[in-house]
């Protein structure tokens, strides 16, 4: 079949490698199928007796599709996924082999956990870890293995992964949201699920060029690189024509994702040259998290097939935009209502307004938690860099909703402004209603019509942490609201009072203006909103008593688990910066200095040769003096950075080290880079030791 014919048949192969509802309905006895569906849709525990039947059906299906192995697929604290493959092979009598897969093997796995980060939760001698089947996310086949999504915990029950807390938080917000729905007289909804759509940004560069840069190979970003003559200033890349090589990659990627049931929907070019975005249709939060992991993995693999490398680093190139991930989040009741859909007259939709108030209060009260969910060494280069949301958390709700909330606070009736239509001015084109939440791209937490869009995440982040946090903090506020309203004699007046009070106390988190402006930083400070510019500043907040108590109350994390997570994240920050600093030294010593010396020699030879025939100094002499000055400074900067790395060994503990990285190492790296980049502008292309920005960004 030709590629195009294949494209036309999406529905035929969409999900063809997924053990999904259709396959289960076909292959499982009715009772077993219903039990699995109940678990999937209502979160009820699955009876052990059905596991054997499901396992066997899964195995038969997988083997028919060519699978030979199965793996428990999990999401340890590395932020990516892990897997260990076992074959279906079992020994049978007379030296024969049979293919076997039991319910026990489906439900529980025992990978050696000693090499995954645990942040001090467990000593290596307690290396045992367990993986437990997550029946709410479908198993699938990839590379001849049956992948079973699982949760990962230690022998003593501490959670070691990103999936478990997310699943717990979804359960918690379900319970609290149902309490609120009940207060509004809803008798049809029995479950509220968190829905998420994660838009993913990435860069594509040529593999041959990538291989020539140690910084890209070792750290995923360029540690050196002078600005090319052209960047993104012409804005000609955003939504621009997609180059053939890139569009072939996108088609291939879509196909691979569709086979795995990932709803890849939109592909387009992004703002920076060589930057692109993929947006999926939204789905249940934990499935969205699994799917985002698959998306990142397949982006990398598929790029290689096309001679390209997919960079998921938040800031692969200085001077052009970095890559983020937009986490679109909403709540969907199983009677079909999106709880964040305001309808045509939000002022009359008290239920919507109460959920909106809860989110406003949650984001205001727990802003540092949201900030730290996006904290990493890579993302620090992006947040607040006038291209991504600032490191200050605020909420955008648009002028209409702000008007509604103002009226509510003052107990007045809201009058909607009239004439909310765009007039396009061409008769043949329909006029369409103006989006009441016109798009503010600079806000970290924006209401976009019927969902909130959290925009601080870095492109390589797992979306699990932020959704765990949003679910938990909103559940906490919903539980406070429900506690109060359940006691009320007059529901509507209690409700209006509660909302007016909430708006008054928490509206300072609402900001509809330009989040990139300098004024906002000053204004946010006046409002008392925390500004945590780096990972080193943000992470210690994780352990604040008032946050820990909420996580403990809802049994999302224990204090020890939060401490271990903080430790892992800080440690990662420190290690990343250490690797980057060492890579810089290596490149500076072995590539940049030698290039500078070589060019110096060429120039000196020329000067001598010219003098020999009686021509004085001139351009070469001027240039060689300048070159020599910068080279000396570069050599000095190398020594400084080298010494800082040695000094960093004296830090006590990862928090102190993270501050040292932020205050001492990163600035020294920056100084070294500035000098190298200056050299790059004078040393000829033929002598420069690795591909430049021009080649990397424009020659694909
Ligand atoms: P933009 O780029 O303007 O933010 P897109 O249409 O590219 O908009 O992306 C919107 C994202 O929001 C998609 O991933 C979409 O699936 C997701 N989304 C839409 N509705 C919901 C919802 N109710 N809950 C969660 N995500 C949603
Ligand atoms: Mg978006």
């Amino acid at each position: 079949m030709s590629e195009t014919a294949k494209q036309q048949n999406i529905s035929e192969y969409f999900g063809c490698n997924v053990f999904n509802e259709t396959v289960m309905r076909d292959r499982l006895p009715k009772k077993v199928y219903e039990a699995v569906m109940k678990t999937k849709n209502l979160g009820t525990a699955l009876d052990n007796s059905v596991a054997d039947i499901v396992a066997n059906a899964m195995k038969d299906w997988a083997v028919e599709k060519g699978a030979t192995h199965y793996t428990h697929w999990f999401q340890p604290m590395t932020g990516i996924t892990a897997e260990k493959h076992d074959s279906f092979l079992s020994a049978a009598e007379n030296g024969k082999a049979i293919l076997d897969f039991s319910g026990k093997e489906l439900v529980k796995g025992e990978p050696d956990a000693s090499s995954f980060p645990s942040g001090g939760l467990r000593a290596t001698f307690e290396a045992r870890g367990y993986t437990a089947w997550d029946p709410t996310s479908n198993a699938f086949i990839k590379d001849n293995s049956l992948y079973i999504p699982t949760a990962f915990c230690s022998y003593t029950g501490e959670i070691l992964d990103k999936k478990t807390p997310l699943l717990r938080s979804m359960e918690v917000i379900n319970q609290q949201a149902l309490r609120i729905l009940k207060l509004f007289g809803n008798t049809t909804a029995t479950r509220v699920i968190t829905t998420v759509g994660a838009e993913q940004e990435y860069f594509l560069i040529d593999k041959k060029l990538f291989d020539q840069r140690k910084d890209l190979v070792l750290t995923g970003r360029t540690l050196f690189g002078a600005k090319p003559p052209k960047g993104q200033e012409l804005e000609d890349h955003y939504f621009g024509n997609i180059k053939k090589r890139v569009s072939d990659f996108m088609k291939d990627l879509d196909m691979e994702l569709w086979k795995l049931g990932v709803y890849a929907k939109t592909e387009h070019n992004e703002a920076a040259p060589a930057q692109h975005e993929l947006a999926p249709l939204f789905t249940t939060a934990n499935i969205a998290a699994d799917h985002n992991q698959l998306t990142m993995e397949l982006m990398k693999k598929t790029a290689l097939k096309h001679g390209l490398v997919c960079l998921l680093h938040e800031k692969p190139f200085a001077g052009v935009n970095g890559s983020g991930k937009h986490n679109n989040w909403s709540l969907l009741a199983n009677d079909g209502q999106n709880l964040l859909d305001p309808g045509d007259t939000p002022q009359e939709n008290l239920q919507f307004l109460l959920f909106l108030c809860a989110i406003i209060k949650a984001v205001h009260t727990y802003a540092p938690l949201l900030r730290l969910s996006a904290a990493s060494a890579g993302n620090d280069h992006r947040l607040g860099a006038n291209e991504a949301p600032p490191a200050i958390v605020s909420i955008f709700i648009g002028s209409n909703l702000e008007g509604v909330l103002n009226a509510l606070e003052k107990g007045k009736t809201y009058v909607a402004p009239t004439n909310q239509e765009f007039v396009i001015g061409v008769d043949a084109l329909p006029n369409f209603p103006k989006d009441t939440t016109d798009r503010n791209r600079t806000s970290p937490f924006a209401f976009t019509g019927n969902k909130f869009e959290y925009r601080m995440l870095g492109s390589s982040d797992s979306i699990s942490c932020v959704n765990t946090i949003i679910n938990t903090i909103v559940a906490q506020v919903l539980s406070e609201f429900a506690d109060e309203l359940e006691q009320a004699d007059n529901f509507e007046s209690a409700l209006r009072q509660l909302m007016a009070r909430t708006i008054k106390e928490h509206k300072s988190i609402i900001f509809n203006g330009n989040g990139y402006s300098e004024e906002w930083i000053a204004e946010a400070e006046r409002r008392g909103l925390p500004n945590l510019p780096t990972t080193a500043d943000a992470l210690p907040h994780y352990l604040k008593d008032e946050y820990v108590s909420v996580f403990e109350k809802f049994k999302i994390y224990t204090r020890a688990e939060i401490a271990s997570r903080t430790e892992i994240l800080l440690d990662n920050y420190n290690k990343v910066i250490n690797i980057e600093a060492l890579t810089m030294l290596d490149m500076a010593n072995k590539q940049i200095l030698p290039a500078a010396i070589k060019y110096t020699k060429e120039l000196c030879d020329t000067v001598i040769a010219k003098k020999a025939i009686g021509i004085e100094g001139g351009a070469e002499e001027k240039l060689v003096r300048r070159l020599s000055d910068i080279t000396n400074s570069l050599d000095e900067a190398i020594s400084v950075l080298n010494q800082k790395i040695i000094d960093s060994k004296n830090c006590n503990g990862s928090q102190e080290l993270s501050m040292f990285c932020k205050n001492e190492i990163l600035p020294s790296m920056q100084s070294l880079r500035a000098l190298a980049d200056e050299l790059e502008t004078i040393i000829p292309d033929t002598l420069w030791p690795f591909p430049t920005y021009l080649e990397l960004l424009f020659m694909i």
Side-chain angles (χ1 to χ4, degrees):
M1 199 180 352
S2 76
E3 282 299 298
T4 19
K6 270 193 209 159
Q7 303 284 323
Q8 282 152 0
N9 279 325
I10 304 182
S11 58
E12 238 169 69
Y13 60 85
F14 184 86
C16 66
N17 288 340
V18 184
F19 193 71
N20 56 22
E21 295 179 19
T22 321
V23 181
M24 286 191 249
R25 197 174 326 112
D26 283 354
R27 290 177 175 254
L28 295 175
K30 195 154 176 274
K31 279 227 164 75
V32 174
Y33 170 74
E34 280 165 0
V36 177
M37 283 306 118
K38 215 170 137 204
T39 300
K40 273 178 83 91
N41 299 329
L42 298 173
T44 45
L46 194 69
D47 200 80
N48 271 342
S49 63
V50 306
D52 269 325
I53 303 170
V54 179
N56 202 45
M58 254 187 206
K59 180 210 67 191
D60 288 346
W61 169 81
V63 170
E64 279 167 36
K65 293 201 149 272
T68 50
H69 289 66
Y70 70 91
T71 176
H72 275 202
W73 185 63
F74 56 103
Q75 301 177 18
M77 292 301 297
T78 50
I80 52 174
T81 58
E83 51 199 67
K84 175 188 150 219
H85 296 254
D86 285 299
S87 77
F88 289 121
L89 216 59
S90 266
E93 282 167 24
N94 356 329
K96 295 229 163 99
I98 52 162
L99 296 182
D100 190 30
F101 184 49
S102 68
K104 225 174 87 202
E105 287 165 310
L106 166 65
V107 171
K108 193 170 125 191
E110 231 177 293
D112 176 7
S114 59
S115 302
F116 294 107
S118 82
L121 261 189
R122 110 206 97 81
T124 8
F125 61 87
E126 302 169 322
R128 242 183 317 166
Y130 286 122
T131 48
W133 179 35
D134 166 19
T136 64
S137 183
N138 290 326
F140 55 90
I141 296 173
K142 193 164 68 70
D143 308 324
N144 297 326
S145 278
L146 170 68
Y147 279 70
I148 300 153
T150 58
F152 180 45
C153 65
S154 77
Y155 181 58
T156 42
E158 285 107 352
I159 47 174
L160 298 172
D161 72 342
K162 297 193 176 231
K163 184 191 265 281
T164 314
L166 177 60
L167 288 170
R168 289 177 180 172
S169 73
M170 289 166 69
E171 187 51 41
V172 159
I173 199 166
N174 162 55
Q175 285 163 10
Q176 301 307 324
L178 282 177
R179 281 175 76 190
I180 300 287
L181 291 186
K182 218 162 159 199
L183 284 165
F184 281 92
N186 182 316
T187 52
T188 46
T190 52
R191 189 155 183 89
V192 171
I193 58 166
T194 326
T195 53
V196 169
E199 300 162 63
Q200 176 73 48
E201 292 181 339
Y202 60 97
F203 279 84
L204 284 180
I205 60 167
D206 192 284
K207 170 88 162 69
K208 287 196 207 81
L209 299 175
F210 170 91
D211 286 338
Q212 294 169 48
R213 293 204 50 141
K214 295 185 197 178
D215 49 3
L216 284 175
V217 171
L218 294 177
T219 74
R221 74 171 177 117
T222 54
L223 300 167
F224 298 102
K227 255 197 165 138
K230 176 183 167 182
Q232 62 187 56
E233 56 279 78
L234 293 179
E235 297 180 341
D236 51 355
H237 192 254
Y238 190 54
F239 277 58
N241 249 325
I242 301 177
K243 286 180 191 154
K244 169 93 171 65
R245 209 172 156 196
V246 173
S247 77
D248 285 349
F249 157 84
M250 286 178 173
K251 275 184 207 146
D252 200 2
L253 174 64
D254 279 343
M255 189 98 80
E256 292 303 320
L257 288 171
W258 290 337
K259 284 192 218 159
L260 295 179
V262 178
Y263 300 96
K265 164 94 173 145
T266 322
E267 304 258 17
H268 63 76
N269 285 353
E270 260 299 326
Q275 192 186 28
H276 313 279
E277 179 189 293
L278 180 148
L281 295 178
F282 70 89
T283 176
T284 316
N286 74 312
I287 294 172
D290 287 357
H291 282 182
N292 184 251
Q293 289 290 347
L294 283 174
T295 302
M296 290 194 286
E297 183 190 324
L298 285 173
M299 278 178 167
K300 292 194 161 170
K301 279 196 183 153
T302 309
L304 289 176
K305 281 200 274 177
H306 292 257
L308 299 165
V309 174
C310 169
L311 301 177
L312 290 174
H313 193 284
E314 283 73 18
K315 192 74 180 175
F317 304 100
V320 297
N321 279 6
S323 299
K325 178 137 56 195
H326 290 177
N327 189 82
N328 296 273
W329 175 93
S330 190
L331 293 170
L332 181 69
N334 67 347
D335 60 0
Q337 28 163 354
N338 176 349
L339 303 183
L340 298 187
D341 187 349
D344 294 336
T345 49
Q347 62 273 28
E348 289 158 22
N349 188 344
L350 293 180
Q351 181 184 298
F352 162 75
L353 290 171
L354 186 66
F355 277 99
L356 180 64
C357 284
I359 293 165
I360 290 170
K361 180 175 175 183
V363 173
H364 187 216
T365 313
Y366 303 100
L369 285 178
L370 283 173
R371 165 64 185 95
L372 68 83
S373 74
S376 70
N379 211 19
D380 279 2
H381 299 292
R382 187 181 151 260
L383 291 180
N386 278 13
E387 59 173 67
I392 307 161
V393 175
S394 66
I395 296 186
F396 168 88
I397 55 170
S399 50
N400 268 18
L401 272 184
E402 196 174 27
V404 173
L405 293 190
N406 279 339
L408 203 58
E409 182 190 350
K410 301 196 174 72
K412 293 197 179 129
T413 318
Y414 172 74
V415 191
T418 47
N419 194 9
Q420 291 274 311
E421 279 195 349
F422 272 130
V423 181
I424 299 183
V426 177
D427 285 342
L429 297 178
N431 292 332
F432 49 89
K434 192 174 165 211
D435 192 343
T436 48
T437 57
D438 67 349
R439 311 225 148 186
N440 180 331
R441 290 277 163 194
T442 67
S443 175
F445 204 84
F447 184 67
T448 47
N450 59 5
K451 61 187 190 298
F452 271 97
E453 183 167 345
Y454 176 70
R455 303 204 181 103
M456 284 171 113
L457 284 182
S459 45
S460 67
D461 283 333
S462 152
I463 63 168
S464 298
C465 177
V466 73
N467 287 300
T468 302
I469 286 172
I470 300 177
N471 290 345
T472 307
I473 63 180
V474 174
Q476 166 60 22
V477 176
L478 291 176
S479 81
E480 292 165 17
F481 285 4
D483 287 347
E484 184 171 333
L485 295 172
E486 280 162 1
Q487 303 303 319
D489 297 326
N490 180 334
F491 174 66
E492 185 161 338
S493 99
L495 175 66
R496 285 186 184 274
Q497 271 177 38
L498 168 65
M499 290 202 283
R501 196 175 72 229
T502 307
I503 297 163
K504 190 158 182 259
E505 287 168 5
H506 299 286
K507 67 181 173 189
S508 62
I509 192 79
I510 298 171
F511 177 63
N512 290 332
N514 178 8
Y516 294 172
S517 68
E518 283 297 319
E519 298 88 75
W520 169 232
I521 297 184
E523 165 68 14
E525 197 178 335
R526 273 195 295 281
R527 294 187 189 188
L529 300 179
N531 183 0
L532 304 168
T534 73
T535 300
D537 305 301
L539 279 175
H541 287 259
Y542 221 164
L543 278 160
K544 276 192 165 168
D545 288 343
E546 62 263 43
Y547 304 157
V548 173
S549 65
V550 174
F551 287 122
E552 290 200 322
K553 166 182 161 187
F554 287 123
K555 303 199 162 47
I556 308 285
Y557 300 122
T558 61
R559 180 179 279 277
E561 285 164 347
I562 299 174
S564 92
R565 261 149 228 260
T566 312
E567 179 61 28
I568 291 167
L569 292 166
L570 278 174
D571 188 47
N572 183 268
Y573 174 80
N574 297 335
K575 282 179 179 156
V576 166
I577 293 174
N578 188 49
I579 293 169
E580 289 183 348
L582 292 174
T583 306
M584 279 190 105
L585 288 179
D586 184 279
M587 291 171 79
N589 280 319
K590 297 193 189 155
Q591 297 185 291
I592 300 172
L593 264 185
I597 293 165
K598 192 160 181 200
Y599 188 40
T600 309
K601 175 156 190 318
E602 271 182 24
L603 288 169
C604 288
D605 288 350
T606 314
V607 173
I608 294 167
K610 277 173 86 177
K611 283 190 176 162
I613 55 167
I615 307 173
E616 268 314 304
E620 294 84 357
E621 193 167 334
K622 239 168 82 189
L623 192 54
V624 81
R625 283 183 195 285
R626 188 166 156 227
L627 184 60
S628 177
D629 284 347
I630 307 172
T631 309
N632 289 339
S633 305
L634 183 87
D635 181 57
E636 182 58 29
I638 289 174
S639 306
V640 172
L641 180 58
N642 207 7
Q643 188 56 46
K644 296 281 182 203
I645 295 173
I646 295 169
D647 293 347
S648 72
K649 309 289 179 244
N650 298 327
C651 290
N652 279 319
S654 48
Q655 198 162 325
E656 193 180 312
L657 180 54
S658 72
M659 278 298 163
F660 189 85
C661 286
K662 172 195 158 185
N663 295 324
E664 305 291 333
I665 297 197
L666 282 171
S668 309
M669 286 165 60
Q670 198 43 49
S671 311
L672 175 57
R673 175 179 184 148
L675 292 160
D677 290 358
E678 201 179 339
L679 282 178
E680 191 189 322
T681 61
I682 28 183
I683 293 179
D685 286 345
T686 45
L687 292 181
W688 193 248
F690 37 76
T692 62
Y693 270 29
L694 187 119
E695 293 165 90
L696 291 168
L697 287 169
F698 294 97
M699 299 192 179
I700 189 158

